[in-house]
Amino acid sequence: MDIILPEHTPQILETTFESIYLFDHELYSLMAEKTEMKWLLVVPKQTLNAETNLEYIQNLYGAIYQLIAFMQKHQIGQRFNIAKIGNKNPNQHIHLIFREENDEVWPDAVWCHEPLKSSLETPEKLKEALKPFYQAW
C-alpha cells in the first residue's frame, strides 16, 4: 500500500526517505539520495490512483519529463531510469536515476547493487544545478 505524506516539510521528508531535500514543486517534492550517483526521488503530493486522480498523474509525469529535459539540455545527466518501486519504503515516491557508462554499477540495475558509494556532495551539486529550473516555477 502506498502512503501519501500529508506534510512535505524538509524535516519530515528527510526523515522519512533518509535523503536530502532539494526543492518543492506544486505537484511533488524533490529529494536526492546520498550517493555518488545522480539519484532523485520525486515524492508526489497526491495519490497515483488512476481511477480517481488521472489528471494529477498526467501532470506529475509531464512535470517529471520537463525536469528530465532540463537536466539533459544542461548536461546534468543524459541516460536515465525512472521507476515507481516501494519495496523498502511504503511512502509513495518515484525514483529518477541518471546513469553514466562509468558509474559504479554500469550497466547493471542500480537497485541490485546497494549499498552504493555514499556522497553528500552529489546532492548539493544537484541542488545548485537544478536551481534555475525550480526558480522558474
Side-chain angles (χ1 to χ4, degrees):
M1 177 178 181
D2 290 327
I3 300 168
I4 296 293
L5 289 176
E7 292 184 50
H8 279 232
T9 65
Q11 182 180 14
I12 289 172
L13 289 163
E14 288 185 349
T15 301
T16 302
F17 292 98
E18 297 179 3
S19 299
I20 305 294
Y21 173 84
L22 299 181
F23 294 101
D24 182 63
H25 183 279
E26 64 185 354
L27 301 172
Y28 62 87
S29 293
L30 188 70
M31 311 287 295
E33 290 284 354
K34 300 172 191 172
T35 69
E36 288 184 3
M37 299 194 69
K38 297 170 186 168
W39 185 333
L40 299 169
L41 298 177
V42 176
V43 182
K45 293 184 177 180
Q46 296 181 30
T47 183
L48 299 183
N49 182 336
E51 291 180 16
T52 61
N53 214 5
L54 184 57
E55 184 177 353
Y56 172 78
I57 296 167
Q58 292 168 333
N59 291 334
L60 175 65
Y61 275 89
I64 291 170
Y65 277 87
Q66 288 175 331
L67 172 60
I68 291 167
F70 177 89
M71 292 180 74
Q72 289 174 327
K73 179 180 178 183
H74 292 89
Q75 306 299 313
I76 301 166
Q78 292 302 311
R79 297 179 181 170
F80 65 93
N81 301 125
I82 186 169
K84 184 199 162 298
I85 53 177
N87 302 4
K88 296 180 182 177
N89 189 327
N91 295 282
Q92 205 160 65
H93 62 286
I94 299 163
H95 298 266
L96 178 57
I97 306 169
F98 281 83
R99 305 294 309 274
E100 297 176 13
E101 288 187 22
N102 63 349
D103 71 38
E104 66 185 279
V105 298
W106 183 267
D108 295 336
V110 172
W111 9 88
C112 298
H113 292 279
E114 293 184 84
L116 298 170
K117 292 178 185 171
S118 182
S119 172
L120 293 177
E121 185 178 326
T122 301
E124 288 303 316
K125 285 181 177 179
L126 284 168
K127 187 170 188 169
E128 188 62 31
L130 296 174
K131 197 177 289 186
F133 178 79
Y134 286 95
Q135 286 175 339
W137 287 98

